[in-house]
Amino acid sequence: MASPWIRALRSVALDVPDLVRAETFYTEVWRLRVAARTDDAIYLRGSGPDHHLLSLHAAPRLAVRHASLRARSAEALEAVAAATLAAGGRVLHPPRASKDPAGGLALRIADPHGRVFHIVHGDLQHADETAAPPPRDQPVRLAHAVFNSHDVAATQRFMEQALGFRLSDRTRIMAFMNCNRDHHTLAIGDTDNDALNHIAFLMPALDDVMRGGGRMGDAGFPIVWGPGRHGPGDNVFNYFVGPFGEVIEYTAEVEQIDESYRAGTPDDWTWPPGRIDQWGIGPARPELKVAQRNVLFVPV
C-alpha cells in the first residue's frame, strides 16, 4: 500500500494573524519546539527527526499555504511533476533548492481545486531521538492531514495519479488515502467546500493523548470531539479548535497496514444511531463542524 514516490507527510504551513500568539500557543500549550525562525515565520518541530511539523507565517488572516510531503528520491520529484500535469494539476515550480530552513530540493504543485503540495527531498532532519522514550505529552510527528472536497472522486483521482496514493478505506463522509505503513497520511472529507478539515499530530501513546486533552482544557481549549477511537485507522483521538480557528488533533495508535489490507466501503463502517466512532463517549461539539469549514488554501 505504498506510494512509489511519496514517503510521508512532513509538515503543514499555515498563515496566522498573530505570530507571537501562535508561537506561545504551539510551544507552551501544544508542546512543539522552535526549530528555526525568520523575520515573518517560525518552524516548529516535535520529538521525531522531521526538521519541522508546522510552519506559521505572519499574514492578515488564517489560511493554509501548503502541505509538505517527503519524496522517496530526487527522481520522484520529476515523476510527480509529470504525473501532476497528466492528472490535470499545475506545477507551480519545478524541483529546485527549497527556500525554507529545512533545505533540500522542493517541487511545488497544485491540484485542480487549488490545494498546494510542497514535495521535498534531501531536507534536513534532526538526530533521531526516538531510540529513547519520547518526551511525555509532546507530538512526535504529523500523523495525517485531512482536506475537505466538494468533489471527492476528483480529489481522490488526483492523489492517486499525481502522488501515487491508494485508497485505504471509504466511509460515508471520508476517503482515506495511504502512502506508507500508516493506514492513512491524507484523507478527503466529503462535503460542499475545499477547506482544511484538520491536522493530526501523533503522540507517543494513548496516555499522552489523554494527558494532552487535560492540559489543553486547563489552558482554555476544551476537547471538541473525544476521547474516542476512529474506525478506519483504529487511532485514538482528541480534537481541539486552536487559537485562530484551526482544527488540530492529538492521536496515537495509528493502524499499520501492508499490501494485504482490503479497502473498506461505507457499508463496512457503520455505527449505531448517534455514534460516529468506536467508543461513542465523546460526541462532537457544534463548533468543530464550523471550524472545519473556515480555513482555506491561499489562492495560487
Side-chain angles (χ1 to χ4, degrees), residues 32-35 43-48 50-53 126-127 129:
L32 299 177
R33 291 181 280 168
V34 175
Y43 297 79
L44 302 171
R45 62 167 298 195
S47 64
D50 290 320
H51 178 271
H52 61 276
L53 313 182
H126 302 286
E129 299 176 7

Side-chain angles (χ1 to χ4, degrees), residues 231-255:
D234 199 37
N235 46 310
V236 294
F237 63 83
N238 278 320
Y239 286 75
F240 312 87
V241 176
F244 308 104
E246 68 278 22
V247 179
I248 46 181
E249 175 191 2
Y250 278 149
T251 192
E253 301 184 357
V254 177
E255 183 177 11

Side-chain angles (χ1 to χ4, degrees), residues 274-291:
R275 178 178 294 194
I276 52 176
D277 73 287
Q278 293 188 51
W279 294 348
I281 59 173
R285 293 168 51 157
E287 55 263 44
L288 173 66
K289 294 299 182 184
V290 173

